[in-house]
Amino acid sequence: MTAMTWTITAEPYDSPAAIALWRAYYTEVSDRWYLLHEGRRTDPGELEREIAADSGAELAPPTGCLLVGRYDGTPAGTAGVRLLDADTAELTRVFVLPERRGRGGAPLLVAAAEEAARALGALRIVLDTRGDLVEARALYARLGYSETASHNTDPYAEHWFRKELGEAAAVS
């Protein structure tokens, strides 16, 4: 039996895999919010408008990067980074398909995003998340992120995290 593995590569934000994963990510977090606050799923029209309104263009070089994680060759997760200023990158779109969770993909995606942020020249990385996304908050804490003051005014952001990046990891 062959072990299934993750591979993570930079990919255009508008590639078919990136678009499909963005749709899956946005649908999940939007539905979770609406189910929690209004007892319903996201209105299909609103879902389409919001997905189209946030293409991910800020995750393109030279100031951003979108990573796609493939599990056994199949697109299964994403993580993106974009520079906020010369020293600070923002981590965004960290997502693993539900059927691929628990297989180590999220920490690998975050580590790859941190390396991408370093390659962009960032000294630190920040992110925001919601209170109901407890799995995400636990992941970031486990990976060395500290909760900090807000760095944006996103109406859905309730928790902000930060991590100093230090030097790039040595490759042997």
Side-chain angles (χ1 to χ4, degrees), residues 73-147:
T74 302
T78 62
V81 293
R82 67 184 180 120
L83 287 177
L84 297 179
D85 60 43
D87 295 328
T88 309
E90 181 178 42
L91 178 63
T92 187
R93 294 194 186 195
V94 176
F95 175 73
V96 174
L97 290 171
E99 62 271 21
R100 296 293 178 246
R101 292 179 186 158
R103 294 182 169 104
L108 292 172
L109 283 160
V110 172
E114 290 170 0
E115 287 302 315
R118 283 184 192 95
L120 292 171
L123 303 175
R124 76 192 59 80
I125 193 164
V126 297
L127 65 95
D128 68 67
T129 191
R130 296 191 328 232
D132 64 308
L133 300 177
V134 293
E135 307 92 339
R137 291 182 13 240
L139 171 71
Y140 301 131
R142 193 169 62 249
L143 297 178
Y145 286 76
S146 300
E147 202 152 350

Side-chain angles (χ1 to χ4, degrees), residues 8 19 36 57 62 94-95 97 105-106 109 111 116 134 136 148 153 156 161 165 170:
I8 300 171
I19 290 169
L36 179 65
V94 176
F95 175 73
L97 290 171
L109 283 160
V134 293
T148 187
T153 58
Y156 296 104
F161 290 83
L165 291 174

Side-chain angles (χ1 to χ4, degrees), residues 6 11-12 20 25 28 30 32 34 37 43 58 60 70 75 79 83 86 88 91 95 107 117 122 126 143 151 153 156:
W6 284 94
E11 193 157 320
Y25 169 83
E28 181 176 328
S30 183
R32 278 179 72 161
Y34 277 110
H37 296 282
D43 172 75
E58 72 279 5
R70 286 178 168 73
L83 287 177
T88 309
L91 178 63
F95 175 73
V126 297
L143 297 178
H151 66 269
T153 58
Y156 296 104

